[in-house]
Amino acid sequence: MCAMQRLHQDMIDSTAATEHRVCGMSCSPCVGPPAPTANRTRRPLLGPSWFAAVMGTGIVANAAVTLPRSFHGLRTAAMVVWLGAALLLLLLAVAYLRQRALRLHSGDPVTAQFFGAPPMALLTVGSGALLLGHRLIGLEAALDVGWVLWSLGTVLGLVTACTVPYLMVTRHRFAPDAAFGGWLMPVVPPMVSAATGALLVPHAPAGQVRLALLLGCYAMLGLGLVSALLVLAMIYGRLVHHEAPTGTVVPTVWIGAGALGQSVTALGALAAVAPSALPAPYAGGAAVFALLGGIVVWGFAMLWLVLATGLTVRAIRAGLPFAPTWWSFIFPVGACVTATGALAARTGSEVFVWMAVVFYGLLVIAWVVVAGHSLRHAARHVWRRPVGGHAHRGTVEPEGR
């Protein structure tokens, strides 16, 4: 048991160091007061960025259901992966809550950005219960789990989307070149709520309740999409006016493609259930909006994906050390899978069909690589720690050593 505890602690011990170094590694030092703590030698072992591992694992399972081509045994494998994501969510949630580090993390201008990861982890696992879990626990239990996790994830996501920008305006201070992909994390959860909430619309009571749920999902889609576009403009300005990002901040550039892909997914999912709540003219308009608007945003997502790929190849050539930010590769590619699959289902285009399949193959490969690095990172740190080591170390060793 002690060995397992050390494994868990060492796997996440470097989170705070990585998140505090993100700005510096991108030549974007954060300017402002330090985190409100008097003892810098004692830092929480678990940062919110590790919930991206749940997001990435969950999207591997969920995206398998949305593929326009079915493959033998894929859904069974996806259900196993979803169970792993659910277990990981439970372990991380318990570990994070036991730390009582919310105030400390909210005071840090970089770590606070990753508060968007826990609500999206809840939403991803909740949607997996509806898409895959019903085969294991039954439809009624799956709906209960889906409603609970969606409600909790939506509330936390809305709080994050409002609170973190407020802290950035009133409390945190940043250098002109401080913008990075992590700034998207607080504003993306409402879009994930919109996409996953569409799965619950047909199960809501008919009438005003179902209509309110559908319109609320569209409102959250607008909240997240417009906010994401504003942040993307700041990130693009940072990229063209300052030095290109390097090191472990590079994977966060991929979050832009994930935000755009998630909006396309939400448009398609909401249009599919709109006829059950909206009158005929508007339900048809939702379908048109999902098709034309979805293709337009998907095109922008592909541009951002190419840009992120180029920056990543450049960083790999220079030597890209492992960090929790590597999980930023996974969910965005999964969002591109679900977005492309939604357009394939709406248009019948074989181009979209095979692009979705190719994206999913790349998603699985990336997930295996990142998960493998995470496990090796944890095992290496457990091996290096002395048996009598303390839970909190006075210094934090660099990532990748």
Side-chain angles (χ1 to χ4, degrees):
M1 181 62 68
C2 293
M4 291 299 296
Q5 291 174 347
R6 289 198 303 272
L7 173 64
H8 178 67
Q9 290 173 351
D10 278 308
M11 181 185 72
I12 59 182
D13 188 49
S14 58
T15 299
T18 299
E19 292 168 348
H20 280 277
R21 290 188 351 253
V22 163
C23 289
M25 297 186 75
S26 62
C27 299
S28 306
C30 296
V31 178
T37 176
N39 187 357
R40 289 185 174 273
T41 65
R42 297 179 62 84
R43 56 182 49 167
L45 295 175
L46 178 63
S49 63
W50 275 105
F51 283 88
V54 180
M55 297 165 52
T57 303
I59 199 68
V60 170
N62 297 348
V65 182
T66 67
L67 280 179
R69 287 285 186 271
S70 59
F71 298 92
H72 179 70
L74 182 59
R75 291 212 171 192
T76 301
M79 185 174 65
V80 174
V81 174
W82 170 74
L83 286 173
L87 178 60
L88 182 59
L89 172 63
L90 180 61
L91 293 175
L92 289 178
V94 171
Y96 188 81
L97 292 175
R98 289 180 63 183
Q99 294 179 141
R100 300 180 181 179
L102 184 63
R103 180 175 297 181
L104 175 63
H105 286 165
S106 64
D108 185 270
V110 175
T111 307
Q113 305 301 324
F114 294 94
F115 278 139
M120 285 191 282
L122 291 167
L123 294 167
T124 304
V125 174
S127 61
L130 298 171
L131 295 171
L132 295 161
H134 64 88
R135 299 175 58 190
L136 183 65
I137 61 178
L139 180 59
E140 185 175 352
L143 282 173
D144 291 338
V145 172
W147 278 112
V148 171
L149 293 183
W150 182 84
S151 301
L152 183 57
T154 297
V155 170
L156 290 177
L158 289 173
V159 170
T160 300
C162 296
T163 302
V164 174
Y166 177 80
L167 291 174
M168 295 174 70
V169 171
T170 61
R171 183 174 179 180
H172 301 155
R173 291 295 177 266
F174 302 92
D177 61 346
F180 75 111
W183 283 15
L184 288 162
M185 291 293 288
V187 299
V188 172
M191 280 197 290
V192 181
S193 290
T196 55
L199 299 174
L200 295 169
V201 168
H203 303 284
Q208 289 298 313
V209 175
R210 184 178 298 178
L211 178 62
L213 178 58
L214 178 67
L215 297 180
C217 288
Y218 269 111
M220 288 188 289
L221 171 60
L223 185 162
L225 179 58
V226 174
S227 300
L229 292 176
L230 292 174
V231 176
L232 284 172
M234 290 188 282
I235 296 173
Y236 186 74
R238 179 254 183 273
L239 292 176
V240 299
H241 289 296
H242 302 279
E243 294 184 9
T246 58
T248 56
V249 75
V250 172
T252 65
V253 179
W254 288 71
I255 301 175
L260 296 169
Q262 192 63 43
S263 67
V264 178
T265 302
L267 284 172
L270 292 172
V273 298
S276 67
L278 289 176
Y282 303 106
V288 173
F289 186 35
L291 176 59
L292 301 182
I295 291 178
V296 169
V297 177
W298 183 86
F300 184 27
M302 295 301 102
L303 170 63
W304 199 270
L305 194 64
V306 171
L307 176 62
T309 301
L311 291 173
T312 302
V313 171
R314 180 176 179 270
I316 291 174
R317 288 177 177 175
L320 181 61
F322 174 78
T325 54
W326 275 36
W327 284 101
S328 301
F329 291 127
I330 309 303
F331 192 85
V333 178
C336 290
V337 174
T338 57
T340 308
L343 293 176
R346 195 159 294 278
T347 62
S349 169
E350 287 294 322
V351 174
F352 283 129
V353 169
W354 288 109
M355 286 190 71
V357 173
V358 170
F359 278 143
Y360 188 74
L362 296 175
L363 170 65
V364 172
I365 294 172
W367 177 70
V368 170
V369 170
V370 175
H373 274 78
S374 298
L375 292 174
R376 285 195 297 270
H377 176 81
R380 183 170 62 248
H381 278 66
V382 166
W383 179 258
R384 290 173 60 185
R385 166 173 286 198
V387 175
H390 298 288
H392 298 277
R393 290 183 290 187
T395 59
V396 178
E397 298 176 352
E399 296 280 357
R401 281 187 57 185

